[in-house]
Each structure stands twice: as structure tokens, then as C-alpha cells.
Amino acid sequence: MNHNWHGTLIRHLLMLVTVSLLAGLISGHYGGCLAIGLGLYLAWTLKQLLRLHEWLRHHKPDEPPPDGYGLWGEVFDSIYHLQRRDQRVRGRLQAVIDRVQESTAALKDAVIMLDSDGNLEWWNRAAETLLGLKTPQDSGQPVTNLVRHPRFKEYFEHANYAEPLEIPSPVNDRLRIQMLITRYGNNEHLMLVRDVTRMHQLEQMRKDFVANVSHELRTPLTVICGYLETLLDNVEEVNPRWVRALQQMHQQGGRMQTLLNDLLLLAKLEATDYPSDNQPVAVSALLQSITNDAQALSGSKNQHITLELESDVSLKGSEAELRSAFSNLIFNAVKYTPAEGKIRIRWWSDGRGAHLSVQDSGIGIDSKHIPRLTERFYRVDSSRASNTGGTGLGLAIVKHVLLRHRAALEINSVPGKGSVFICNFAPNQMTKP
Ligand code: ADP
């Protein structure tokens, strides 16, 4: 309805003034009648205003406004329509929110929203089963107070969420959960948590299988190698036609033993997240001893091996594991560098942590192989590896040892010119001897 209320209002006022003036004409009191007329109008207007106020304050939902007259009736109705429209919009929004909440509640994966300080804002039902969050007590609590695993705290504070994190569930040790954090909006966090127990069990079975097979093969292989050694020790009693075959069998047996040892070491490294001992390891002495071994391995190749110890910091961790990682890098440099080549080993520390670099002037590695070098059995050229007697597990061991010591491996190489392998240890891994 499109009514010209402006005109109507003026008409009403004119009528009121006319009636008042007429009454004034009859009674002879123009001023008094006009004042009474306007006063009555004002009183009526105030009454309507009070009714509106009363209705706005006390009306129940859906209760229509009181009947109003003229312009006031129109005002009452307009407000009522506005309210109804508002209610309908709110109802529709609530329905959308309910549907979103219902669907996230039905999700098997946990969805958790955290504010920019890492405090819990909202979570779905699965978060209660997987992480043990309690509604509503835990709302506003820092997530690191509720998920207390040290790896989670480190992961959350480090704020590098490129890779997901896998830890046991805080409510049930047998459940294995995977967490993925994404930042959105104003540095708020969205955390997704999945139950990966089944995948973890399969992975565990694979690791156990490899460890068991390696372990079971070790004894028969030791026996075979032992007999071969005895036969070769008494070579004059052996038919000369078999000597070369025996030597090759002995050599390949040795390779298999190194392979099994590497597989067992990898299995051991994978079994836990941290090294079993966390003693200060004197890196300088360790590198000195490995360099002497490298010199012996280099033998007649006459390579120029230098060791530059620019820092005397020690590392927290396991000496055996670090020895294995560093010697793999240094022996690789010896293996993949031709005679008369240069190998430079450097140990230094700065504001970003402690660093070991092993640089060689060897054959180098094509950049396309670099991202895959630390995979088990990955070889740039299989014929080349069999010449050097490598197992293909060396860099996989290096990667695992470094991961356990909170370090990262950096590889730079130019084919034909040489390679640099750098181990970067975080400052909190350094310690004084
Ligand atoms: P392997 O036992 O075969 O040496 P690793 O895991 O130690 O196995 O190394 C993987 C591959 O990386 C090697 O086969 C080799 O091709 C390459 N590689 C490792 N170190 C070097 C190096 N210093 N120079 C050139 N290539 C290297």
C-alpha cells in the first residue's frame, strides 16, 4: 500500500485547526480552543507513542502490534513487518548453521578452530573422542594445555605446518592420530585430526617385517661367510678352479652383511622419535676420527681430505647415530670422488645453529635426482653403485639420524664439478662440552 501520509497528516492538522477555530467562533475564545485542540492532539499522539513503547518492550514473539489509527497504525504495522522479516532471515541463517553443525558433528575427523593465540574456539564431536576435549569447560583453553605431547607442542610453536604430525591420541595410547593445521583469517588456526591407527599398524607391520627378516638372515649369513673365510684361509687345499668363485662369494656375502646391518639400523632409527641417549657429543673428536677412517678408505686414490674445525660446540644426541650419519656422508664423498680429488669437511656454528658441510670435487649429482636421494635404495646410477659397494641406504640413514637430532640435510651439487652435503642443527641442539 502506497499511501500519501504526508498529505493526510497535513489534512488532519488543517481539520483540527478548522474545528478548533469553529469552536472558537462559537465560544469566542479562539486562542483557548486552538490550544485545547492542539493539546488533545498532542495527548493522543503521546498515548500512541506509549502504546508502541509498551508493545516493543513486552510483546511476545509473533504477537501482532495493537491497532493504531492513521499514521500511527502504519508505523505499528511497518515495525511489525520489519520484525517478521528479520525473524525469517534469522531462521534461515540458523537453519544453515544447524546443517553445517550437523554435518561436521557427523564427520569422523575432528575439526577444531583456534584463535590467533592458539586457544580453543569451537570443535566438533569427533574432537571429543580423538582428543578428549570437553564441552564447554575447555572453551578458551590453550590447545597445548590439552594436547600435552612434547612433539605437538614443538610442532605447534614451530609454526611450520607443511607436513602433518602423527602422535598417539591423548585419550587412548592405542589410537594414532594425524594432525594438520592450516592458518586462515586473522592468524586463526584450523586443525584437522584424523584417526590413522590402521595405517600406522600397517606401517608398523612393514617395519617389523623388514627388521625380523634382516635379523633372521643375519645368523645363516654369518655362518656362510664364516665357512667361506675358513675355506679362503686354507686356499691351498681348495681346487684352484673354485678360488675365484669363493672370493666373489665372500665379497658378496660381505655386502649382504653390510646391507642387513644398515636395514637393522634403519629399523632401529624408525622405532622411536628421539635418540635413546641424549649426551653431549664432542663433534670435533668424532669428525677427526671419521676423517682418519676416510683417509684409510681413500687409500691409493690419493685424495686431498681436509678437516676445518671452526667451532668446539658439542651436540646433544647419540654418538653412535651421529657417527653413522657423518661417516656415511664423508665416505660417500670419498667413494664418488675420483683419484686426486678434493674433499673438504667443515664444522662451524653461528646464530642459526651448528653446521657440518662435506664438500667434494667428485662426479656430482643431476638436480633431478636430489629430491629423491634420501629414499631407501635410490641410486643415481645402479651400475655405479655396485662398483662402489654401496647399499643405497646410506643417505636414508643420514636423513633419519638428522630428523631425530632436529636437523635438516641440504644438498647442492653440480654434475661433473662436485657436491656439498650440509647438516644444519638447530641452536637448541647445541651444547657446551
Ligand atoms: P650408496 O650406498 O649407493 O652410496 P647412498 O644412500 O649413500 O647410497 O647414496 C645414494 C646415491 O646418492 C648414491 O648411489 C650416489 O649415486 C649418490 N651420492 C651420494 N653421495 C654422493 C656424492 N658425494 N657425490 C655424488 N653422488 C653421491
Side-chain angles (χ1 to χ4, degrees), residues 389-428:
T391 60
L393 293 172
L395 290 179
I397 292 175
V398 173
K399 180 180 136 184
H400 272 89
V401 170
L402 292 188
L403 262 181
R404 287 155 70 83
H405 289 79
R406 305 289 169 265
L409 180 67
E410 193 184 316
I411 308 173
N412 297 311
S413 188
V414 181
K417 290 242 162 27
S419 325
V420 200
F421 288 76
I422 309 172
C423 309
N424 295 311
F425 292 88
N428 56 9

Side-chain angles (χ1 to χ4, degrees), residues 332 335-336 360 365 373 378-380 384 390-392 394-395 419:
N332 269 353
K335 282 194 291 186
Y336 298 109
D360 64 52
I365 308 156
L373 276 191
Y378 187 83
R379 273 145 176 179
V380 172
R384 189 211 286 176
T391 60
L395 290 179
S419 325

